[in-house]
Amino acid sequence: MWIYEKKLQFPVDVRCADLRLAKALISQYGGPAGELSACLQYLNQRFTMPTGQTKALLTDIGLEDTI
């Protein structure tokens, strides 16, 4: 088993959407073996998990992987 603590590594404060920054980040993360591909795999796999705790874990891993 594991100890699961839902806590971000850094505090996040999003004030407004910045589309130019989003496009730049996507270009850096893109590609078949890129970070975006890995986080999307985690987020897609969460839908096949049988318990809520494992779904939450994969969701958080996928979201943290984008940071």
Side-chain angles (χ1 to χ4, degrees):
M1 294 307 274
W2 61 84
I3 297 174
Y4 176 65
E5 186 176 327
K6 187 172 184 172
K7 179 179 157 187
L8 291 176
Q9 186 175 1
F10 301 102
V12 177
D13 183 26
V14 179
R15 294 192 179 116
C16 65
D18 186 354
L19 294 178
R20 280 188 273 165
L21 179 60
K23 286 181 182 180
L25 288 174
I26 291 293
S27 69
Q28 295 298 313
Y29 285 128
E35 290 292 321
L36 182 62
S37 177
C39 79
L40 289 175
Q41 286 177 0
Y42 282 120
L43 293 174
N44 283 331
Q45 288 173 359
R46 74 177 287 279
F47 291 107
T48 62
M49 289 294 115
T51 65
Q53 186 177 12
T54 54
K55 283 181 186 180
L57 180 64
L58 282 177
T59 300
D60 290 341
I61 290 172
L63 294 175
E64 286 285 332
D65 213 15
T66 61
I67 295 175

